[in-house]
Each structure stands twice: as structure tokens, then as C-alpha cells.
Amino acid sequence: MSTDLVRDAAEHRALSGEEEVAWRRYYRMQSHLLGVLNRELTQASGLSEAEYEVSAALLQQPGHKLRARELRRELLWEKSRLSHQLRRMEQRGLIRRTDCAEDSRGAIVELTAAGRRIVVQAECARVSAIRTHLIGVLSENQLAALSGISETVLHHLGIACAPHLDG
Amino acid sequence: MSTDLVRDAAEHRALSGEEEVAWRRYYRMQSHLLGVLNRELTQASGLSEAEYEVSAALLQQPGHKLRARELRRELLWEKSRLSHQLRRMEQRGLIRRTDCAEDSRGAIVELTAAGRRIVVQAECARVSAIRTHLIGVLSENQLAALSGISETVLHHLGIACAPHLDG
DNA sequence: TAAGATTGATCTATCAATCTTA
DNA sequence: TAAGATTGATAGATCAATCTTA
């Protein structure tokens, strides 16, 4: 009997006590950590999590610009999500959109000067918050374990997490 | 020099290579895991993540009912978030709200028969998804490590994560 | 006054439908 | 036809203001 069959048979069993505790702890930790990081980011820079993700991705590009298609692949976002987000950020003056020379269907997204200034501030706040609430409270072993765990889970998700990016 | 001072001084340094990798992996894993769990839940039961959290909390109560105040403490949600969510769920027929006998300000939230039927299905789907995408892909050591890491981070958040629950 | 809860406004996320160009 | 992108509708999350009762 293959281990796959064993696992399939186990998939509908209720969680064991330890599994349940681990899951509930992880779930709660994850949502609270996200919440506090988001609040500290907003307080320090005025950027939301979504605005920060877009701006930070642009900041690390040469010329602080990128095709919307590539930005979407970088963030692994749905296209409508990115489109709505870019509209709001353009209204706020954080980015601007221009036509793409090589492909008339495309859009080039570029950080404005104001956007650059703000996202640099936001990065400092984010690093500080990550140190305060995650990296600073974990041992080196724990951080290495978290990295390994994340890699493992991501690798297995590779197959399952694609569908929502098709459209 | 205390370790606290050392840590404070370190808080504004940029992340090291390993720290950066660990953080980015964790962040991406976390958002994708959440995404796939949510999609599988919705596909199997028709419930959203938010609807599931409320329904599952009610299901484990005697009589499948709870005061809104206690439900809020159970979920650690803002009160306006819960209120809006309950309105939508009442419209969908998943829960009903009745007056509280002991305190006229209070509201009792109760799963409907339809709500019970749906959340039982949803729990099966959720357990299955957790096994498939998280517990089933980690070793026993990794799962124990994740549990410990989550506990550590949660413990430190205890101080910092309260403010948004005040109102 | 403070606690429990609701409401309205705004921002975000997802889905389906659409528009334009390759 | 398919790819790149936008739009509209709907559900969810957060903030400030409000209402009622303890």
C-alpha cells in the first residue's frame, strides 16, 4: 500500500488533538500578525497593505516601472484585483499608467515621485514591524524552521494554487 | 547592556539575506494557503471564510447559540465587523438574532437549521483541505515547530494586538 | 458615562462580462 | 481565438459616528 493511499484514507478523519491545536494556533497567529503589521504600516506611512505591495514591487524595478502583466506575475494577483488597485492608486497620485510601446494592449505602471517617497518610508516601518513581531521573537532555529515549513507548503501548493490566476 | 537594548538598536537594520528569504516565503505561503483553503471551502459548502468562522463558533456552543458579545470575544473580531457579517448571514438565512433576556442591550445569535446543515458540511471540507495542504505535507517535527512558533508569536502579540478590539 | 450593538462611508477582494488588439 | 486589461456587481473589512440601555 502506497503512502499516498494511506494519506488519502486519512484525509477525512477529524483532526487529532495536537493537529487541532497546531492549526488553531497557526490560524490565529497568522491573522493577528497580518493585522498588526497592516496597522503599523498604515500608521507610519499612510499606505494600506495592498498599496504597499504594489509600490514595493515597483520600487525594486529599474526605473521604478513595470508592465501590468509582469507586476501581476510578481504579486501573483488576479488581473481584476490589480486593475482596481491601480485605479485607486492612480487617483491617490501614487502611480501613473502609460501606454506600452511594444504591445498596444499592455499598460506600463510607474511609481510617481510622491509614491517613491512614501514607499521608502513604508519599507522602514515594515522592516521594523517584522523585526518586532516576528523575527525578533523567534530563535534562529525557529526562523529557519518557519522558512522550511513555508517552502514545503508553497511547493505543494504549486499545483493547487494556479486556477485563480488563469483568467 | 541588556538584550532589549541590543534588539532595539537592531530593529531598524535592513533584513539579512536569510531573514528576507524567510519572511518572503512565509508571507507568500500564508496568503496562498489562505486563498486555497477559502476557495475549497466555498466550492464544497457555499460558505465564505467569514461565514464559516461565525457558523463554526456557533456550532460548538450548547444550543448552537451565543451572545454577540461572547461571539466577538471568541473570534476576536471588531464589533462592527461582526455586526455587518451577522446582518448578511441573517439575510442568507444562516443565523437569526433574538433579544437577550438578561441584558436588553445584548443580542443572542443562533444558527438556523439550514445554517447547521451547511456548516457541518463545511467542517468536513475544511478538515480535508487542512490535511491536504498543510498537515499532510509537513513532518511531525515541522508541525510541532509550527505550533511552537505560532504560540511564541501570539504570546508577544498579546500586548500589541489589543487596540483594535477596544471600541 | 460606558457597554453592547448598529449604521454609513470607504477601501479591498472576487467573479463574470466586456473591450481592444495580437 | 486568445491575451492584456478594464468595468460592474457583490461580499468583506475598517473607521467613525450613532443609538439604546446599564
Side-chain angles (χ1 to χ4, degrees):
Chain A
M1 187 187 268
S2 80
T3 48
D4 274 351
L5 285 179
V6 172
R7 179 187 297 155
D8 286 349
E11 272 189 10
H12 290 84
R13 270 193 300 101
L15 298 182
S16 74
E18 283 181 11
E19 290 168 341
E20 172 96 17
V21 167
W23 163 250
R24 291 171 83 101
R25 271 191 194 149
Y26 165 71
Y27 187 82
R28 186 151 284 197
M29 179 279 283
Q30 167 269 136
S31 64
H32 283 244
L33 180 60
L34 218 52
V36 71
L37 291 184
N38 200 339
R39 281 193 297 280
E40 293 189 6
L41 179 72
T42 303
Q43 190 162 25
S45 70
L47 290 186
S48 69
E49 185 76 25
E51 289 169 331
Y52 172 69
E53 284 195 59
V54 171
S55 303
L58 290 175
L59 186 65
Q60 70 177 16
Q61 299 301 322
H64 305 143
K65 67 178 76 171
L66 200 58
R67 260 193 80 165
R69 180 185 60 172
E70 306 305 330
L71 184 53
R72 200 164 84 77
R73 285 176 186 164
E74 183 78 20
L75 298 171
L76 299 176
W77 277 16
E78 280 190 340
K79 55 188 177 181
S80 64
R81 179 181 180 187
L82 182 59
S83 191
H84 285 304
Q85 191 60 45
L86 292 177
R87 174 178 41 74
R88 289 187 297 261
M89 290 178 71
E90 193 160 32
Q91 283 173 345
R92 274 199 61 182
L94 297 169
I95 58 111
R96 76 175 67 85
R97 285 183 282 194
T98 56
D99 291 341
C100 178
E102 307 96 60
D103 186 338
S104 308
R105 297 170 303 179
I108 302 289
V109 185
E110 184 179 1
L111 268 181
T112 61
R116 275 198 302 278
R117 219 179 313 119
I118 293 177
V119 71
V120 167
Q121 284 223 308
E123 294 231 300
C124 293
R126 162 96 340 163
V127 166
S128 177
I130 292 170
R131 281 205 185 283
T132 302
H133 301 296
L134 184 68
I135 292 178
V137 307
L138 298 180
S139 69
E140 284 193 22
N141 280 342
Q142 283 179 311
L143 190 62
L146 183 61
S147 189
I149 288 165
S150 301
E151 187 180 26
T152 301
V153 174
L154 267 179
H155 177 257
H156 283 266
L157 281 179
I159 307 98
C161 79
H164 75 293
L165 296 173
D166 283 351
Chain B
M1 183 187 273
S2 80
T3 48
D4 273 351
L5 285 179
V6 173
R7 180 185 297 156
D8 286 349
E11 272 188 9
H12 290 83
R13 271 193 300 103
L15 298 182
S16 73
E18 283 181 10
E19 289 168 340
E20 171 97 18
V21 167
W23 163 251
R24 291 172 83 101
R25 270 190 194 152
Y26 165 72
Y27 187 82
R28 184 151 286 195
M29 180 277 284
Q30 164 275 133
S31 65
H32 282 244
L33 179 60
L34 219 52
V36 71
L37 292 183
N38 200 338
R39 281 191 296 280
E40 293 189 6
L41 178 72
T42 302
Q43 189 161 26
S45 70
L47 290 185
S48 70
E49 186 77 25
E51 289 170 330
Y52 172 69
E53 283 194 59
V54 171
S55 304
L58 291 174
L59 186 66
Q60 70 177 18
Q61 300 300 322
H64 304 143
K65 67 177 75 170
L66 200 57
R67 260 193 80 166
R69 181 185 58 170
E70 307 304 332
L71 184 54
R72 201 164 83 75
R73 285 176 186 165
E74 183 78 20
L75 298 170
L76 299 177
W77 278 17
E78 279 192 339
K79 55 188 178 182
S80 64
R81 179 181 178 186
L82 181 59
S83 191
H84 285 305
Q85 191 60 46
L86 291 177
R87 174 179 43 73
R88 288 187 297 262
M89 291 178 71
E90 194 161 33
Q91 284 174 344
R92 273 198 62 181
L94 297 169
I95 58 113
R96 75 175 67 86
R97 283 181 285 193
T98 56
D99 291 342
C100 178
E102 308 97 59
D103 187 336
S104 307
R105 295 172 303 182
I108 302 290
V109 186
E110 184 180 0
L111 268 181
T112 62
R116 276 198 301 279
R117 217 179 315 119
I118 293 176
V119 72
V120 167
Q121 285 223 309
E123 293 231 302
C124 293
R126 163 92 347 159
V127 167
S128 176
I130 292 170
R131 282 207 184 283
T132 302
H133 301 295
L134 184 68
I135 293 178
V137 308
L138 297 181
S139 69
E140 284 192 22
N141 279 342
Q142 283 180 310
L143 189 62
L146 183 60
S147 189
I149 288 165
S150 301
E151 188 180 26
T152 301
V153 174
L154 266 179
H155 177 257
H156 283 266
L157 281 180
I159 306 99
C161 79
H164 75 293
L165 296 173
D166 284 350

